[in-house]
């Protein structure tokens, strides 16, 4: 991975990078059994959201799609790029632009739950049969700790 990660943004009604995002999401789904959205749902939600994308030499390494209310629809980081702060950087982009940041995570997706809790999300409740395949989810919200938001903002400025 190069030292320079380029940030790009697809605004609502701009699907410039939707195919690259879909390909990354599908690669993760096949390998890990998570991110199981159908293509029509994914593309529709992507087009209605703002998506922050991180590229390394024109290769998509991670992205986050967020609604206007700060709800994270999709967060994905390429497996080979994990542990380098990209997921944290993507969530920081969302936190910088929204007063409240929330999401759902599959109750069996332990690595996602560890990641979210590590960066300051709190589990608010469990929802049975949340996903189309009957899977359960946790609803998470980024803690309201001001110092955490300041740390995220500082992280973005680096």
């Amino acid at each position: 991975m190069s030292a320079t990660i380029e940030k790009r943004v697809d605004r609502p009604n701009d699907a410039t990078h939707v195919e690259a995002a879909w390909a990354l999401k599908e690669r993760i789904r096949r390998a890990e059994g998570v991110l199981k959205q159908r293509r029509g749902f994914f593309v529709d939600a992507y087009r209605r959201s703002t998506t922050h994308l991180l590229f390394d030499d024109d290769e998509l390494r991670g992205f986050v799609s967020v609604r206007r209310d700060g709800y994270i629809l999709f967060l994905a980081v390429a497996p080979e790029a994990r542990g380098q702060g990209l997921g944290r950087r993507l969530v920081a982009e969302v936190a910088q632009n929204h007063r409240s940041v929330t999401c759902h995570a599959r109750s069996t997706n332990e690595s996602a739950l560890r990641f979210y809790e590590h960066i300051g999300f709190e589990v608010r409740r469990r929802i049975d049969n949340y996903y189309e395949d009957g899977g359960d989810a946790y609803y998470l919200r980024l803690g309201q700790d001001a110092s955490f938001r300041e740390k995220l903002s500082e992280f973005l400025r680096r």
Side-chain angles (χ1 to χ4, degrees), residues 97-113:
N97 295 309
H98 297 87
R99 291 182 52 143
S100 171
V101 180
T102 58
C103 67
H104 284 91
R106 191 173 285 270
S107 63
T108 57
N109 190 345
E110 294 177 15
S111 62
L113 292 167

Side-chain angles (χ1 to χ4, degrees), residues 74-136:
F74 314 114
L75 174 63
V77 174
E80 66 277 7
R82 292 180 185 161
Q84 299 172 17
L86 299 182
R88 187 173 133 190
R89 181 174 171 184
L90 289 165
V91 172
E93 289 286 345
V94 175
Q96 186 175 25
N97 295 309
H98 297 87
R99 291 182 52 143
S100 171
V101 180
T102 58
C103 67
H104 284 91
R106 191 173 285 270
S107 63
T108 57
N109 190 345
E110 294 177 15
S111 62
L113 292 167
R114 277 193 307 272
F115 165 76
Y116 283 122
E117 289 177 355
H118 175 74
I119 64 168
F121 278 78
E122 300 166 350
V123 173
R124 295 299 182 145
R125 65 183 170 275
R126 181 184 172 105
I127 304 167
D128 295 333
N129 300 310
Y130 177 77
Y131 293 103
E132 189 174 52
D133 65 1
D136 302 334

Side-chain angles (χ1 to χ4, degrees), residues 1-157:
M1 182 177 294
S2 72
T4 305
I5 296 291
E6 178 190 357
K7 181 184 124 181
R8 300 178 191 169
V9 178
D10 281 354
R11 304 268 177 222
N13 300 313
D14 174 8
T16 302
H17 301 99
V18 71
E19 292 303 322
W22 173 258
L24 176 56
K25 182 208 79 70
E26 281 295 284
R27 185 162 58 102
I28 293 168
R29 181 192 59 78
R30 286 189 298 276
E32 300 173 17
V34 296
L35 301 177
K36 299 180 181 182
Q37 298 85 10
R38 289 175 286 124
R39 183 175 173 77
F41 172 83
F42 179 85
V43 171
D44 217 32
Y46 186 101
R47 288 178 188 213
R48 288 191 320 262
S49 65
T50 297
T51 302
H52 301 271
L53 307 104
L54 299 176
F55 285 85
D56 181 16
D57 292 329
D58 281 334
E59 186 172 340
L60 182 61
R61 293 301 187 175
F63 71 94
V64 62
S65 294
V66 60
R67 294 187 321 209
R68 287 181 296 177
D69 63 357
Y71 178 83
I72 294 174
L73 294 162
F74 314 114
L75 174 63
V77 174
E80 66 277 7
R82 292 180 185 161
Q84 299 172 17
L86 299 182
R88 187 173 133 190
R89 181 174 171 184
L90 289 165
V91 172
E93 289 286 345
V94 175
Q96 186 175 25
N97 295 309
H98 297 87
R99 291 182 52 143
S100 171
V101 180
T102 58
C103 67
H104 284 91
R106 191 173 285 270
S107 63
T108 57
N109 190 345
E110 294 177 15
S111 62
L113 292 167
R114 277 193 307 272
F115 165 76
Y116 283 122
E117 289 177 355
H118 175 74
I119 64 168
F121 278 78
E122 300 166 350
V123 173
R124 295 299 182 145
R125 65 183 170 275
R126 181 184 172 105
I127 304 167
D128 295 333
N129 300 310
Y130 177 77
Y131 293 103
E132 189 174 52
D133 65 1
D136 302 334
Y138 288 110
Y139 176 73
L140 300 109
R141 181 181 177 116
L142 186 59
Q144 297 302 308
D145 181 0
S147 65
F148 178 72
R149 287 187 181 278
E150 289 168 12
K151 287 178 190 174
L152 283 175
S153 292
E154 178 183 324
F155 180 79
L156 278 176
R157 287 190 288 268

